[in-house]
Amino acid sequence: MSGHSKWSTIKHKKAITDARRGKLFTKLIRELTSAARAGGGDVDANPRLRTAVSTARGSNMPNDTIERAIKKGTGELPGEVYDEVTYEGYGAGGVAVLVDVLTDKKNRTVAEVRHLFSKYGGNLGENGCVAYMFDRRGFITVDVAQIDEDELMELVLDAGGEDLRTEGEVYEIYTEPETFEAVKGAIEARELAIGVAEITMLPQNTVPVEGKKAEQVLKLLEALDDHDDVTKAYANFDISEEQMAELAQG
């Protein structure tokens, strides 16, 4: 199966159950602050901030914490200024990897990210080496037990969604970034529980990996996900359902 959707689901479950919630909140606060700094503090006029607020609330972040992060971005409160950088490279088996970071020390961060690539059988590349292999899309999952596929498809298309696929026990919904909030809102209006809801970089094609290389790819993504400065990591790997489950549990 496509590694992208499975990895997104694994990350979502980690965020809910992981004892390191403080680290998750730190990353969410950085995104809230940066989104507000880039596009203003009005969620209705700033789609990036609207998504960041929705994600923060979905992670049970207190409203006063969200408000403080936004005010730091708009300059109403003092706060750090973070540079937004995307690094590109290859993981084991030639898997393309994109890494979005928010950092106040770019030289330190790039050295640490390069080390992680090398540690797990990959290498950091030049800007543009893999970005063209990905498309920016909205991505939402809904448990199949909640609604009939045809009914959900009609709902998604009417709200401006692009595609719906069934993967095991979940529906995967894809949208253009501009229609993501409208589709998400339509699903929520039907009182359907959403698993994952994010703006992501969707790979145009996938690279099959197995065995040791598959393990290295997942370890790289997990290490990147654990890095304080990394906000998102994307990859175009394809790993069997069985091995993905085995490695995720390990």
Side-chain angles (χ1 to χ4, degrees), residues 48-69:
R48 176 180 169 186
L49 180 61
R50 188 162 59 245
T51 299
V53 169
S54 177
T55 302
R57 286 176 176 162
S59 300
N60 297 317
M61 179 179 286
N63 283 332
D64 60 342
T65 304
I66 294 173
E67 291 171 5
R68 282 198 304 272

Side-chain angles (χ1 to χ4, degrees), residues 127-147:
N127 288 344
C129 67
V130 301
Y132 69 93
M133 303 180 189
F134 295 81
D135 295 316
R136 190 170 176 80
R137 291 289 185 273
F139 177 68
I140 302 168
T141 64
V142 173
D143 194 304
V144 299
Q146 297 187 85
I147 188 172

